[in-house]
């Protein structure tokens, strides 16, 4: 196969991975809806953490900026997915703020203001860098760091699952969508030769696998325990 013939196939594969990442990301963005239905129904955030949505908002804003032509002209699919994601995360944070207890509410509101402030500083500061390659590297490192922090945020949930031996507070579809999206953008980043995309998404893929393994392990244990007789006869 000639290079000219292989190149379009390479581009199609890269775009396909990016589109798949967008589709799976949409699944990730809507997966918390059952959680927020429960929060609204019960009028309380219970033991749910708002941190994943704060991290996700920060990540979406920075990665959206990284994907724009002003920073990296060949990552439009990164901009589209993160623009939609930022809207979803903002809505979730507002709902969380409405139903959280006072201490959580104050903390979440402070974190939301911090996220907006940091993003404005990054946006304005990066535009002051005149060299396009330096600007891309600068914003790329920031987007990579934000992605890693977003993927690391479920570590709190993983710890809670291990402590409680229950997957109640780790929705299955959220973990599955995280894994599928990370894997898709891992492939996209590799094909696009962009370490600022494939490195953090590689970490996200590993963490997604850990969450799925924990889910199936503790879910199967819960099913086994539910089959045990409620009354034990010693006759």
């Amino acid at each position: 196969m000639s290079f000219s013939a292989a190149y379009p196939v390479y581009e199609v594969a890269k775009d396909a991975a990016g589109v798949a990442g967008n589709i799976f990301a949409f699944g990730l963005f809507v997966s918390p809806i059952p959680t927020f239905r429960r929060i609204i129904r019960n009028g309380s955030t219970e033991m749910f953490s708002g941190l994943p949505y704060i991290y996700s908002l920060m990540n979406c804003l920075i990665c959206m900026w990284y994907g724009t032509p002003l920073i990296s002209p060949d990552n439009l699919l990164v901009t589209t997915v993160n623009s939609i994601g930022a809207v979803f995360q903002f809505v979730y944070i507002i709902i969380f703020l409405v139903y959280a207890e006072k201490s959580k509410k104050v903390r979440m509101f402070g974190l939301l203001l911090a996220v907006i402030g940091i993003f404005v500083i990054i946006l304005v500061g990066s535009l002051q860098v005149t060299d396009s390659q330096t600007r891309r590297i600068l914003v790329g490192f920031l987007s990579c760091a934000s992605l890693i922090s977003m993927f690391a945020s479920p570590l709190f949930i993983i710890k809670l699952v291990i402590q409680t031996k229950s997957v109640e507070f780790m929705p299955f579809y959220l973990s599955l969508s995280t894994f599928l999206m990370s894997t898709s953008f891992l492939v996209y980043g590799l094909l696009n030769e962009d370490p600022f995309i494939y490195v953090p998404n590689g970490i996200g893929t590993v963490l997604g696998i850990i969450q799925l393994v924990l889910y199936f392990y503790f879910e199967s244990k819960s099913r086994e325990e539910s089959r045990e007789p409620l009354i034990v006869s010693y006759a």
Side-chain angles (χ1 to χ4, degrees):
M1 182 181 292
S2 65
F3 176 78
S4 59
Y7 185 73
V9 173
Y10 174 89
E11 283 294 306
V12 168
K14 183 189 76 173
D15 291 341
V19 171
N22 273 251
I23 294 171
F24 292 134
F26 187 79
L28 174 64
F29 298 148
V30 301
S31 62
I33 288 178
T35 297
F36 282 91
R37 281 179 178 169
R38 171 173 169 171
I39 289 173
I40 294 170
R41 184 176 64 248
N42 296 339
S44 170
T45 56
E46 302 177 50
M47 292 181 67
F48 291 108
S49 172
L51 287 179
Y53 310 105
I54 289 289
Y55 283 125
S56 294
L57 177 62
M58 171 66 84
N59 166 70
C60 286
L61 290 173
I62 297 176
C63 291
M64 175 186 70
W65 181 232
Y66 175 71
T68 59
L70 285 170
I71 306 299
S72 55
D74 54 346
N75 277 318
L76 182 61
L77 289 170
V78 173
T79 299
T80 57
V81 67
N82 285 287
S83 299
I84 297 170
V87 174
F88 272 96
Q89 303 314 315
F90 188 75
V91 171
Y92 292 145
I93 290 169
I94 295 301
I95 296 174
F96 197 94
L97 282 170
V98 171
Y99 292 98
E101 59 188 39
K102 186 176 180 180
S103 59
K104 276 187 180 181
K105 190 173 297 188
V106 171
R107 184 186 179 199
M108 282 289 291
F109 186 70
L111 289 172
L112 177 59
L113 291 179
V115 165
I116 295 173
I118 291 171
F119 176 65
V120 170
I121 292 172
I122 292 171
L123 190 150
V124 175
S126 59
L127 288 176
Q128 305 306 309
V129 180
T130 55
D131 181 69
S132 59
Q133 186 62 25
T134 303
R135 188 191 309 129
R136 178 170 185 166
I137 292 173
L138 174 64
V139 179
F141 271 115
L142 292 172
S143 69
C144 186
S146 68
L147 267 171
I148 292 173
S149 68
M150 186 195 75
F151 288 133
S153 64
L155 291 174
F156 168 80
I157 303 299
I158 291 173
K159 179 182 177 183
L160 185 63
V161 168
I162 295 173
Q163 287 177 338
T164 61
K165 296 180 172 54
S166 170
V167 294
E168 180 182 6
F169 297 101
M170 188 177 71
F172 170 72
Y173 290 109
L174 182 61
S175 301
L176 178 62
S177 298
T178 299
F179 167 70
L180 292 174
M181 183 202 71
S182 300
T183 303
S184 297
F185 276 108
L186 168 63
V187 175
Y188 175 84
L190 287 170
L191 292 175
N192 205 29
E193 298 180 354
D194 193 331
F196 297 126
I197 295 178
Y198 67 70
V199 170
N201 281 287
I203 294 173
T205 300
V206 172
L207 289 174
I209 292 172
I210 293 173
Q211 290 181 66
L212 290 173
V213 169
L214 284 174
Y215 183 91
F216 286 115
Y217 175 74
F218 286 111
E219 181 69 9
S220 63
K221 289 204 67 166
S222 298
R223 286 198 298 268
E224 289 173 4
E225 291 172 0
S226 66
R227 295 194 195 101
E228 294 180 356
L230 297 177
I231 299 176
V232 180
S233 173
Y234 293 95

